[in-house]
Amino acid sequence: MYVTCLDLEGVLVPEIWIAFAEETKIPELKRTTRDEPDYAKLMNFRIGVLKEHGLGLREIQETISRIDPLPGAKEFLDRLRSVCQVIILSDTFTQFASPLMKKLGLPTIFCNELICSETGEITGFKLRQENGKFHAVKALQSIGFDTIASGDSFNDLAMIQASKAGFLFRSTPKIIADHPEVKAFTEYDELYEAICKEIMR
């Protein structure tokens, strides 16, 4: 029995932090896991930038309310869920993900939690666990599932490499060049066909 594990940002929805950076005109916030492999370092940097500019959860959620899934993403997800179980494994936060999940048809998502003050200042974050995507696929495998994984960033490589099959999707030229052993796709139809091929093996 197969479970497909998908990244969220960059695969199904636009990058939240990039959208927020563009709205606030703060270019430092465009840095993502495509650029920085160390997630804790990246998040601590972001929190520092937010504090410097007096921005918090409310402003980010306002941006998220205007974000729609990438064109074709919901249709791809619906189609994929008709042939196998799907879990979204993301390093985003429940406070960010909830409205996006409604737009995607309420798929299952495992993600992290922000720590916020009563005024909405983001003061920290709580990971489900370190390297959570990798441990999630290993846990699924431990209860009898074969996993297929796909994502676009450095933090997706561990779950891709640990799975029975894994694919990069709309990744960066550097990540693709550094990992020629992982097939890379840019279109949902290609990714769907590759996943179905693995399921039918």
Side-chain angles (χ1 to χ4, degrees):
M1 185 175 288
Y2 282 89
V3 175
T4 297
C5 300
L6 299 175
D7 181 33
L8 178 65
E9 294 178 66
V11 174
L12 298 172
V13 303
E15 293 279 354
I16 292 167
W17 289 98
I18 290 177
F20 188 61
E22 289 173 349
E23 282 207 1
T24 57
K25 296 181 171 51
I26 303 173
E28 299 94 323
L29 290 176
K30 288 188 176 181
R31 191 167 180 79
T32 72
T33 51
R34 291 180 169 203
D35 311 298
E36 175 54 67
D38 187 329
Y39 189 70
K41 180 179 177 181
L42 176 63
M43 274 307 302
N44 286 322
F45 170 77
R46 288 166 169 168
I47 290 169
V49 173
L50 292 175
K51 186 172 184 179
E52 179 185 339
H53 290 270
L55 298 169
L57 181 60
R58 179 178 61 82
E59 289 84 4
I60 299 174
Q61 287 179 328
E62 286 175 358
T63 295
I64 292 169
S65 72
R66 293 185 286 275
I67 292 176
D68 288 320
L70 292 167
K74 185 178 184 303
E75 293 78 8
F76 161 73
L77 195 55
D78 289 344
R79 195 178 175 199
L80 187 59
R81 290 165 78 185
S82 74
V83 297
C84 67
Q85 299 293 315
V86 179
I87 297 175
I88 297 173
L89 301 180
S90 175
D91 281 335
T92 194
F93 305 95
T94 54
Q95 295 95 327
F96 292 179
S98 294
L100 296 170
M101 292 305 98
K102 291 177 183 175
K103 293 180 180 182
L104 285 170
L106 296 175
T108 299
I109 183 169
F110 297 166
C111 57
N112 301 311
E113 283 288 326
L114 287 171
I115 301 169
C116 301
S117 71
E118 291 183 1
T119 62
E121 179 186 359
I122 298 172
T123 58
F125 58 97
K126 183 178 180 182
L127 301 180
R128 284 184 297 105
Q129 66 182 130
E130 292 291 334
N131 204 4
K133 296 182 182 186
F134 169 80
H135 289 294
V137 299
K138 296 304 286 185
L140 288 165
Q141 291 163 6
S142 77
I143 56 172
F145 288 100
D146 286 320
T147 60
I148 300 171
S150 184
D152 68 330
S153 298
F154 284 111
N155 64 337
D156 299 310
L157 290 169
M159 74 168 178
I160 288 171
Q161 292 163 343
S163 291
K164 187 168 184 179
F167 309 103
L168 289 167
F169 186 72
R170 297 182 182 175
S171 190
T172 66
K174 175 171 173 47
I175 293 174
I176 292 170
D178 287 348
H179 296 276
E181 76 284 2
V182 182
K183 290 182 181 177
F185 300 111
T186 59
E187 300 300 325
Y188 290 119
D189 284 348
E190 295 175 324
L191 181 57
Y192 175 80
E193 293 299 330
I195 291 169
C196 287
K197 186 176 179 180
E198 290 299 328
I199 292 171
M200 296 299 291
R201 279 183 188 273

